[in-house]
Amino acid sequence: MKIAIVGLGYVGLPLACAFAEKGVEVHGVDISDEKVALLKKGVSYVGDIKSSEIKNLVKKGLLKVSTEFNIIKDCGCIAICVPTPLRKTQDPDISYIIDSCEKIKKHIKKGAVVVLESTTYPGTTREVVCGILERKGFKAGKDFYLAFSPERIDPSNKKWNVKNTPKVIGGINKASLDKAVFYYSRAIEHIVPATSLEAAEMVKLLENTFRAVNIGLINEMAQISDRLGLDVWEIVNMAKTKPYGFMPFYPGPGLGGHCIPIDPLYLSWKMKSLNFYTRFIDLASEINGAMPHFTVMKLAMILNGFSKSVKGSKIIVLGAAYKKDVSDTRESPSLEIISELEKLGADVKWYDDLITYGDVPGKRIKKLSAGALKKADIVVISTDHSHFDYDFIVRNSKRIFDLRNTLSGRKSKKIFKL
Ligand SMILES: NC(=O)c1ccc[n+]([C@@H]2O[C@H](COP(=O)([O-])OP(=O)(O)OC[C@H]3O[C@@H](n4cnc5c(N)ncnc54)[C@H](O)[C@@H]3O)[C@@H](O)[C@H]2O)c1
């Protein structure tokens, strides 16, 4: 059994490893020379995958990687895990899907099953992927098989990973579904079949819209609580003692990552073309998108209470990744907070030792010393990481603005909350 994984990022690399660990020969292809070179050397650039694991799989010949698409030619299953970002105009950018399908078309053989994993609007697999591949003269569902299976990976989650998280798969016909299930069952413990491609595409959008809308609600509650002089964290923690009918969501400086701030807008875009306006999605996006600004305004008020202006203040932002224990800075609200504070004239430094690449504004601190903390007018905990030494941070900081409720339970006049 040979499986091709197209796009070896946060989604593709763990999937490739899951198959290879089960003895399946994985042929990975990525357009990034840098990533392919690292993998060939046995170096992982994805937090949840250890370099030793890559080294071992490469050595055993179970993980072969290349920037050349001909590596996929003998594979019976081809999974596409390329990015699906937004354009500057907030419209879906499916150019990576189109590009990878054009290249797959050149090398795909009869009988192979193509599975799109990238999150996208309902209709993409049938209209775009099928459209391109059928131009080879092959008929989908007969000469080649076609399926969509949304990736549900939650980076840094220690309990749920690609293998034990149930996987939804929808096929263009029954034969395609069966073929995709046959391959995926080798590595995935539980498969949930959908009745169509579009149903499988929509499942992912419901999941991520559910999160975006609920986070939007709690972020609005944070602003409401602020006006009422209440602690939103206390309110959520008490509400969640209700054993039914309530699910806790937590406020924060805004949404980040490649999924939750983006995916619902794919659905919103699609629905506009059908003259339907997705009000919940758009409202949540507006509220969540304004959280970095709300955070900066609140920080300005805290400094004001000490007769300090943002201009000229020394500020340290702790954590620049979009969430706890990951190195990913895509869409991270910390970046917007740092930029806005710099525009207001603050001297902003940031510390996040997990980040190895990505453009972060402000000045990076390599080592968080007591001296640096003591000099700062305020320290902002924007992303918490499990390995940060919070006792040390609290001991040495003049004031702390805790956006994540990381220091909950510590009673100190120098700790301010969102
Ligand atoms: N990151 C997550 O937590 C997550 C979770 C679930 C779903 N998703 C979805 O999975 C998809 C991939 O996300 P990701 O986070 O892995 O992105 P990523 O940027 O980490 O990885 C994508 C990889 O694809 C490569 N690539 C781009 N164009 C290519 C092409 N034409 N051919 C071959 N390789 C190409 C890139 O170089 C990159 O290495 C997106 O649609 C995303 O919405 C992501």
Side-chain angles (χ1 to χ4, degrees):
M1 189 185 269
K2 287 183 190 168
I3 290 192
I5 307 287
V6 178
L8 298 166
Y10 289 97
V11 165
L13 190 59
L15 189 64
C17 292
F19 280 117
E21 274 167 25
K22 292 286 176 183
V24 177
E25 196 177 306
V26 176
H27 293 206
V29 59
D30 200 290
I31 51 166
S32 160
D33 292 327
E34 197 187 342
K35 285 186 179 170
V36 168
L38 284 171
L39 292 175
K40 281 187 176 162
K41 276 193 256 165
V43 178
S44 171
Y45 43 81
V46 169
D48 294 334
I49 305 285
K50 291 194 181 82
S51 291
S52 56
E53 194 179 338
I54 301 287
K55 219 172 261 166
N56 186 29
L57 295 172
V58 170
K59 198 169 145 204
K60 283 187 179 157
L62 288 169
L63 180 60
K64 299 182 171 152
V65 291
S66 176
T67 51
E68 300 293 332
F69 269 71
N70 61 10
I71 194 173
I72 72 166
K73 68 179 188 298
D74 295 323
C75 295
C77 175
I78 302 163
I80 305 172
C81 310
V82 296
T84 43
L86 290 172
R87 297 189 187 282
K88 281 209 173 102
T89 50
Q90 304 278 294
D91 294 339
D93 176 1
I94 56 163
S95 61
Y96 298 90
I97 296 182
I98 294 173
D99 182 62
S100 57
C101 288
E102 290 290 355
K103 289 172 177 154
I104 291 167
K105 187 179 79 182
K106 290 192 188 133
H107 301 283
I108 185 175
K109 292 217 171 115
K110 280 197 175 172
V113 54
V114 175
V115 185
L116 180 64
E117 294 250 352
S118 305
T119 310
T120 182
Y121 57 83
T124 312
T125 316
R126 191 182 300 273
E127 292 154 19
V128 181
V129 180
C130 182
I132 295 172
L133 297 177
E134 283 197 335
R135 266 187 253 132
K136 192 178 172 94
F138 285 3
K139 181 86 189 115
K142 190 167 154 270
D143 299 319
F144 74 98
Y145 301 95
L146 185 60
F148 180 85
S149 179
E151 183 46 69
R152 287 169 154 172
I153 203 155
D154 181 21
S156 89
N157 192 323
K158 299 279 175 269
K159 182 175 176 200
W160 297 105
N161 53 50
V162 65
K163 289 167 273 188
N164 65 6
T165 304
K167 195 132 175 62
V168 170
I169 306 182
I172 200 164
N173 61 358
K174 169 109 179 27
S176 295
L177 174 64
D178 291 348
K179 196 94 171 170
V181 170
F182 167 74
Y183 277 97
Y184 273 66
S185 311
R186 277 296 290 264
I188 312 286
E189 288 166 18
H190 186 54
I191 296 204
V192 187
T195 56
S196 66
L197 292 170
E198 289 76 11
E201 290 168 329
M202 189 65 180
V203 168
K204 176 75 183 175
L205 295 174
L206 170 61
E207 290 167 6
N208 282 1
T209 301
F210 170 82
R211 288 190 60 73
V213 167
N214 279 290
I215 295 169
L217 173 66
I218 200 67
N219 277 335
E220 188 172 70
M221 284 291 175
Q223 297 183 43
I224 292 171
S225 302
D226 183 58
R227 294 262 177 122
L228 293 173
L230 295 169
D231 176 355
V232 66
W233 301 96
E234 184 194 353
I235 313 290
V236 186
N237 285 333
M238 285 196 290
K240 77 178 187 193
T241 60
K242 183 180 176 186
Y244 50 85
F246 183 80
M247 186 184 283
F249 279 81
Y250 300 96
L255 289 183
H258 187 45
C259 291
I260 306 198
I262 293 175
D263 303 344
L265 298 181
Y266 267 63
L267 185 56
S268 156
W269 174 86
K270 170 75 186 175
M271 295 318 293
K272 268 188 211 129
S273 72
L274 301 173
N275 200 22
F276 184 96
Y277 291 84
T278 53
R279 286 168 291 169
F280 271 114
I281 294 178
D282 299 347
L283 186 58
S285 179
E286 189 184 318
I287 294 171
N288 291 327
M291 282 312 282
H293 180 68
F294 172 73
T295 304
V296 169
M297 288 303 111
K298 182 115 206 243
L299 185 138
M301 299 297 281
I302 297 166
L303 289 174
N304 189 55
F306 294 91
S307 306
K308 286 195 172 295
S309 63
V310 174
K311 188 170 182 172
S313 282
K314 289 185 173 27
I315 300 173
I316 291 181
V317 174
L318 286 184
Y322 83 90
K323 74 166 192 170
K324 189 173 179 161
D325 299 340
V326 302
S327 57
D328 194 350
T329 57
R330 288 177 297 178
E331 317 290 327
S332 170
S334 302
L335 312 192
E336 209 176 320
I337 291 170
I338 296 170
S339 291
E340 200 168 324
L341 288 171
E342 281 199 317
K343 270 190 208 140
L344 291 172
D347 172 8
V348 192
K349 297 194 169 81
W350 62 273
Y351 176 76
D352 192 324
D353 53 344
L354 289 184
I355 294 173
T356 46
Y357 64 93
D359 284 337
V360 180
K363 292 167 222 131
R364 179 174 199 153
I365 301 178
K366 288 242 169 76
K367 195 172 177 305
L368 195 63
S369 66
L373 287 167
K374 278 186 179 134
K375 269 191 225 148
D377 293 299
I378 192 157
V379 172
V380 183
I381 303 177
S382 189
T383 314
D384 49 355
H385 286 316
S386 313
H387 65 282
F388 281 176
D389 182 348
Y390 290 106
D391 285 334
F392 173 79
I393 291 161
V394 173
R395 221 174 27 248
N396 291 296
S397 305
K398 273 191 211 121
R399 355 190 136 88
I400 298 174
F401 184 22
D402 182 6
L403 308 180
R404 307 296 324 165
N405 203 28
T406 311
L407 307 176
S408 80
R410 295 186 195 224
K411 292 215 167 17
S412 160
K413 280 196 176 147
K414 67 181 177 186
I415 299 172
F416 300 86
K417 289 194 200 166
L418 191 68

